Amino acid sequence: MDNLVLQSDFGLDDGAVSAMYGVAVATSPNLHIYNLTHNIPPYDIWEGSYRLAQTIDYWPADTVFVSVVDPGVGSDRLSVVAKTKTGHYIVTPNNGTLTHVNAIFGITEIRTIDETVNRRAGSEASYTFHGRDIYAFTGARLAAGIISFDDVGPRVPLDALVALDYEEPVFADGEIRGIIEAHDVRYGSLWTSIPRTLFLEMADGFNQRFKLRVFNQGRQVHSNHMVYVPSFASVEVGDSLLYVNSLDRMAIAINRGSYAHAFNIGTGTSWQVSLAPYDI
């Protein structure tokens, strides 16, 4: 247990991330420290939750993740360490950041951080940088084996876990409805919550056409029809496509273009998507 993976909304324009590294290395110079991302949009707990779930299952069991997207820093929100069914540990504020990991992989136990023992010495009067003073410090100690999970602090009931609104996809009346959970950030594809397995209950195979409808807060704002294909190369440049993304979920894209930017489509539970076979 010597892998420590850091995520935050801090960006890399100042020394915040470096300070977290410094605290971790000072705790144990033998740690292997990696970045998940530090480009979560400021205060965007949903995005932080999704990116954890996008990544966590590819790391060895016992890897410790520190996720700091914490608009409530200094408030009475709990600081916790969660253990997942996959055997990973996540150090984070209990503010919804664990929503996707719990929904997709499951969380077996939560412990609140005992700050009397798991806090960087000399930081007791600081209330605005828990990512450095509590989370990086506790995560490094846990990853290095200096403390065990039981040493983190008292166990918290699982029903105390704060969760964001999360809607499971539904297949009814000849269509599948889900939400747009995230964008493929660099390329602008729409990544939906619809798993491939559910989609295939409706699809006959590649090259079938489907009708897409997008809703924002219940109002339809976009529609299109496109072909289900294995990859971007299956359609002409500029054409739309429906494909299975790297998380085994359905995604919508423009070959060499940004679907999100082209049609001004966002993410989250207010952005719903519908897929149905397209009858010409």
Side-chain angles (χ1 to χ4, degrees), residues 72 74-78:
S75 69
D76 59 358
R77 60 94 184 94
L78 293 180

Side-chain angles (χ1 to χ4, degrees), residues 3-60:
N3 292 326
L4 183 67
V5 182
L6 306 179
Q7 170 177 276
S8 75
D9 60 352
F10 297 159
L12 296 173
D13 293 332
D14 64 13
V17 173
S18 181
M20 293 173 67
Y21 266 74
V23 168
V25 170
T27 300
S28 175
N30 296 320
L31 281 176
H32 300 116
I33 308 175
Y34 307 90
N35 294 321
L36 193 161
T37 180
H38 296 288
N39 288 326
I40 300 296
Y43 321 120
D44 195 336
I45 297 169
W46 176 274
E47 185 79 5
S49 172
Y50 186 86
R51 298 305 170 187
L52 275 174
Q54 179 185 352
T55 307
I56 193 169
D57 198 37
Y58 299 99
W59 285 84

Side-chain angles (χ1 to χ4, degrees), residues 1-268:
M1 196 192 304
D2 59 359
N3 292 326
L4 183 67
V5 182
L6 306 179
Q7 170 177 276
S8 75
D9 60 352
F10 297 159
L12 296 173
D13 293 332
D14 64 13
V17 173
S18 181
M20 293 173 67
Y21 266 74
V23 168
V25 170
T27 300
S28 175
N30 296 320
L31 281 176
H32 300 116
I33 308 175
Y34 307 90
N35 294 321
L36 193 161
T37 180
H38 296 288
N39 288 326
I40 300 296
Y43 321 120
D44 195 336
I45 297 169
W46 176 274
E47 185 79 5
S49 172
Y50 186 86
R51 298 305 170 187
L52 275 174
Q54 179 185 352
T55 307
I56 193 169
D57 198 37
Y58 299 99
W59 285 84
D62 290 332
T63 297
V64 177
F65 292 79
V66 171
S67 180
V68 190
V69 183
D70 194 13
V73 63
S75 69
D76 59 358
R77 60 94 184 94
L78 293 180
S79 297
V80 300
V81 181
K83 183 177 181 180
T84 71
K85 288 183 179 179
T86 55
H88 301 91
Y89 298 88
I90 304 172
V91 187
T92 187
N94 183 28
N95 61 5
T97 305
L98 296 168
T99 298
H100 286 88
V101 168
N102 190 36
I104 297 170
F105 302 110
I107 290 173
T108 60
E109 190 174 342
I110 308 168
R111 290 184 176 270
T112 186
I113 297 175
D114 181 352
E115 296 180 19
T116 65
V117 292
N118 292 309
R119 184 178 183 126
R120 184 179 64 87
S123 70
E124 294 79 11
S126 175
Y127 300 97
T128 60
F129 201 172
H130 288 179
R132 175 195 64 195
D133 299 331
I134 299 173
Y135 301 141
F137 182 74
T138 301
R141 282 160 57 84
L142 183 60
I146 297 171
I147 60 172
S148 69
F149 183 50
D150 289 352
D151 295 328
V152 166
R155 182 180 292 183
V156 178
L158 289 176
D159 59 11
L161 183 67
V162 174
L164 305 173
D165 290 338
Y166 186 83
E167 300 178 16
E168 294 289 345
V170 175
F171 183 15
D173 300 324
E175 68 174 3
I176 298 176
R177 298 193 70 156
I179 61 172
I180 301 171
E181 290 197 294
H183 294 157
D184 186 348
V185 175
R186 192 168 181 84
Y187 303 108
S189 302
L190 311 181
W191 285 8
T192 80
S193 62
I194 300 171
R196 174 184 55 84
T197 51
L198 181 62
F199 174 75
L200 290 180
E201 293 182 19
M202 178 178 66
D204 295 328
F206 290 131
N207 299 315
Q208 183 180 0
R209 299 193 72 82
F210 287 86
K211 182 175 182 178
L212 164 73
R213 294 189 297 158
V214 177
F215 304 82
N216 185 19
Q217 297 181 335
R219 181 176 65 88
Q220 183 171 320
V221 295
H222 175 70
S223 66
N224 200 353
H225 56 87
M226 61 195 62
V227 64
Y228 169 47
V229 292
S231 71
F232 290 75
S234 304
V235 301
E236 297 292 332
V237 173
D239 283 351
S240 300
L241 64 144
L242 177 65
Y243 70 102
V244 178
N245 70 10
S246 58
L247 299 182
D248 209 30
R249 283 167 167 73
M250 304 314 297
I252 297 104
I254 296 172
N255 188 12
R256 302 196 193 181
S258 170
Y259 207 102
H261 290 163
F263 299 107
N264 195 29
I265 295 173
T267 64

